[in-house]
Amino acid sequence: MNSATATALLAGLEQGAISSEEIVIGLLDRADRLKRLNVFVHLDPDHVLSQARAIDKRRRSGDSVGPLAGVPVAIKDLLCVEGEPTTCGSRMLRTFRPPYDATVISRLKQAGAILFGKTNMDEFAMGSSTENSAYGPTLNPWDETRVPGGSSGGSAAAVAAGLAPIALGSDTGGSIRQPAAVCGIVGLKPTYGRVSRYGLIAFASSLDQIGPFAHDLADTALILKAISGHDPRDSTSVDDSVPDYPATLGTPPESLRIGVVPEFFGEGLDPEVESAIREAIRVYEQAGATIRKVSLPNSRSGIPAYYIVAPAECSSNLARYDGTIYGHRAADFSPRYPGEESLAPMVRMMMASRAEGFGAEVKRRIMLGTFVLSAGYADQYYNQALKVRRLIRNDFDSAFKEVDVLIGPTSPTPAFKLGERTSNPLAMYLSDIYTITANLAGIPGLSIPCGLTKSNLPIGLQLLAPAFAEEKLLRTARVFERATDWHLKRPGVKE
Ligand code: GLN
């Protein structure tokens, strides 16, 4: 049962073959036996059980129940759930319990889903390995000496390890697609504006987007439909109708013109990853696709532009955590360094609280962001990066005049070893080299399983489509899923 998809569980629930209570008892038990993976930062069995019993009761009494009724969903710990711990992987928010639900959470509740625990993540979603969590790293279920990717590593590992059939994460530069790729599952970053960000703890507001993790595309379509749509509480959410993704998934796209981007096959690409992607291209060719080379010349500036824009926005978003209204407050803020005696006690309190509450990577980003926005430097850095961002978007606009979707690798390498990149921030940043441009351009990106290395590590295929073309993206990916069985592979996790 722990390898079942949400669609399969829903069928069992509808037929009365299984109850939601039985499903969650099985998963809670498994979670208990797989504690070593460190997937959840918070999991309250009583709360999970009471949600399951309530939905079973409604189903039995013949009430109409939502499209995800009784299905457990694991939640990245940066989505606010009323009254439940929401730490964002940080010491700063160790005791925070939000007074309200994020919009995606209220939508999941309306759909009848069971909120199944909060998953581990890199602090404030900054990282690619989940090693920047204040609560310790999560292990990759395929190889426990390796990282599950990040920053949504807990959510990806939860689905891969069979601890929840589906999960939510967030993607600012790759944080859904890259962990999905290295954990052998599907991960989708929707178009900026498709899903409301209300109640998502902000990292870089112009790039952040919430999206699903699942074993296959049917489940991805199901959850995407449930969370998408306009929300008056997020002015960047688009007021447009939401396509019926599950209903149209089975229909192959009218046109299958696929662009292969030479810039996505550059230096640092693992040879086994490359050959799996080349093989995926052949699968599409056999399915009748026209394959064309399309260049995205400005994508090589993706990492530098992102590491100016994202830290700039983060330095502003994280300014609120100073121990006054938000965040950890230091108990001792007596002067520590020469000169601090002359500072007001409140200033010392803020300094000590931020010093204690934030980890090293978050501090690095805040300093970088403050610098690139400072008077005299903003033009050289921040404003310049915005221009590069526009050029990246223009590249995609011209590419999508010629092809329907672009394909390439999601991550340049399979899952790397724990500790391998922690002392080298640049090596860590390069994990997102192929995912980051979609965030800068605001377009949707999808990662689907497309192979395993000789040492049994998953490889992900990335597909990119124009803004709001999620339907096309999913249907195009479905062509590959139908022709292969990579989405059926599961890691052999020992309980
Ligand atoms: N790894 C990237 C970063 O560290 C992207 C993170 C994300 O998408 N949240 O910023």
Side-chain angles (χ1 to χ4, degrees):
M1 192 192 67
N2 51 54
S3 65
T5 62
T7 306
L9 292 176
L10 281 165
L13 287 163
E14 273 152 31
Q15 290 155 11
I18 195 165
S19 69
S20 182
E21 183 175 354
E22 287 166 325
I23 295 174
V24 300
I25 288 175
L27 293 180
L28 286 168
D29 190 41
R30 186 166 168 84
D32 212 38
R33 277 176 283 136
L34 294 182
K35 273 211 167 91
R36 66 177 192 276
L37 298 179
N38 198 25
V39 162
F40 295 103
V41 276
H42 172 69
L43 178 61
D44 175 354
D46 293 336
H47 183 52
V48 170
L49 277 165
S50 69
Q51 294 175 75
R53 287 183 187 130
I55 201 85
D56 282 341
K57 200 168 149 203
R58 282 184 46 200
R59 206 185 267 281
R60 274 198 305 272
S61 70
D63 274 10
S64 82
V65 288
L68 290 172
V71 175
V73 187
I75 308 292
K76 186 177 184 181
D77 204 26
L78 49 39
L79 293 166
C80 289
V81 178
E82 187 183 341
E84 295 221 19
T86 300
T87 68
C88 221
S90 184
R91 239 172 89 80
M92 191 51 107
L93 291 175
R94 199 172 46 82
T95 58
F96 177 54
R97 285 175 188 254
Y100 67 95
D101 279 336
T103 297
V104 290
I105 298 297
S106 4
R107 294 209 173 155
L108 286 181
K109 285 182 177 173
Q110 270 161 29
I114 312 289
L115 303 180
F116 194 84
K118 303 298 286 292
T119 60
N120 200 10
M121 55 180 283
D122 285 301
E123 184 176 12
F124 284 97
M126 298 171 197
S128 301
S129 67
T130 315
E131 292 166 295
N132 294 337
S133 168
Y135 306 98
T138 296
L139 313 183
N140 189 316
W142 291 83
D143 176 345
E144 296 176 21
T145 67
R146 293 175 188 268
V147 304
S151 64
S152 318
S155 284
V159 174
L163 295 169
I166 48 181
L168 285 186
S170 70
D171 190 312
T172 305
S175 281
I176 293 174
R177 290 161 288 159
Q178 182 258 13
V182 303
C183 285
I185 58 170
V186 178
L188 170 69
K189 179 200 95 73
T191 309
Y192 186 79
R194 178 80 292 179
V195 177
S196 167
R197 291 178 295 110
Y198 179 75
L200 159 76
I201 296 178
F203 162 13
S205 309
S206 78
L207 302 160
D208 297 341
Q209 195 58 196
I210 300 165
F213 288 99
H215 288 294
D216 64 17
L217 295 161
D219 279 13
T220 306
L222 194 66
I223 183 167
L224 178 65
K225 188 184 172 198
I227 61 171
S228 291
H230 179 58
D231 175 12
R233 288 178 163 137
D234 172 4
S235 61
T236 66
S237 74
V238 167
D239 196 356
D240 212 353
S241 61
V242 176
D244 191 348
Y245 304 113
T248 56
L249 181 67
T251 319
E254 296 77 40
S255 148
L256 205 53
R257 295 172 306 161
I258 294 181
V260 177
V261 183
E263 289 82 1
F264 288 174
F265 292 84
E267 189 192 336
L269 179 60
D270 179 278
E272 283 189 276
V273 173
E274 172 161 7
S275 65
I277 304 304
R278 302 260 179 227
E279 182 51 36
I281 296 169
R282 275 192 286 279
V283 169
Y284 273 108
E285 260 173 332
Q286 270 153 22
T290 11
I291 311 287
R292 189 176 308 176
K293 207 161 130 183
V294 269
S295 178
L296 298 173
N298 291 293
S299 62
R300 64 188 159 84
S301 309
I303 296 262
Y306 173 90
Y307 278 97
I308 290 175
V309 173
E313 294 185 22
C314 112
S315 69
S316 165
N317 274 327
L318 271 56
R320 74 190 70 166
Y321 305 105
D322 61 13
T324 56
I325 296 175
Y326 286 110
H328 165 78
R329 182 180 296 181
D332 173 15
F333 42 90
S334 47
R336 281 178 236 194
Y337 301 102
E340 281 189 5
E341 308 81 5
S342 60
L343 297 173
M346 181 148 100
V347 173
R348 279 192 270 114
M349 184 280 283
M350 291 179 181
M351 288 169 66
S353 300
R354 286 168 74 82
E356 290 173 7
F358 290 135
E361 183 60 27
V362 175
K363 287 176 185 161
R364 181 181 295 123
R365 307 273 179 117
I366 292 174
M367 288 190 279
L368 200 59
T370 309
F371 174 73
V372 300
L373 288 176
S374 58
Y377 290 103
D379 264 342
Q380 268 179 56
Y381 294 102
Y382 183 65
N383 294 331
Q384 190 69 15
L386 292 185
K387 289 179 192 163
V388 172
R389 184 175 185 179
R390 181 74 239 180
L391 294 175
I392 289 173
R393 169 79 198 223
N394 291 351
D395 278 0
F396 280 113
D397 288 348
S398 352
F400 289 129
K401 285 196 183 105
E402 293 183 46
V403 295
D404 300 299
V405 298
L406 296 167
I407 63 174
T410 305
S411 160
T413 66
F416 45 91
K417 290 267 185 194
L418 287 153
E420 191 181 308
R421 297 187 191 167
T422 38
S423 55
N424 184 348
L426 193 57
M428 191 68 91
Y429 297 172
L430 285 169
S431 315
D432 298 308
I433 189 158
Y434 305 134
T435 48
I436 238 161
T437 45
N439 302 77
L440 290 165
I443 61 169
L446 176 70
S447 181
I448 56 172
C450 74
L452 289 169
T453 64
K454 283 189 211 79
S455 31
N456 207 39
L457 297 174
I459 300 170
L461 175 72
Q462 180 176 233
L463 295 99
L464 302 168
F468 299 102
E470 280 83 358
E471 215 183 334
K472 186 194 275 183
L473 190 60
L474 292 166
R475 286 164 65 193
T476 305
R478 185 75 181 100
V479 171
F480 182 82
E481 193 182 69
R482 203 173 258 158
T484 57
D485 59 4
W486 298 113
H487 62 288
L488 301 174
K489 307 271 188 236
R490 302 284 188 270
V493 190
K494 289 203 183 59
E495 283 196 3

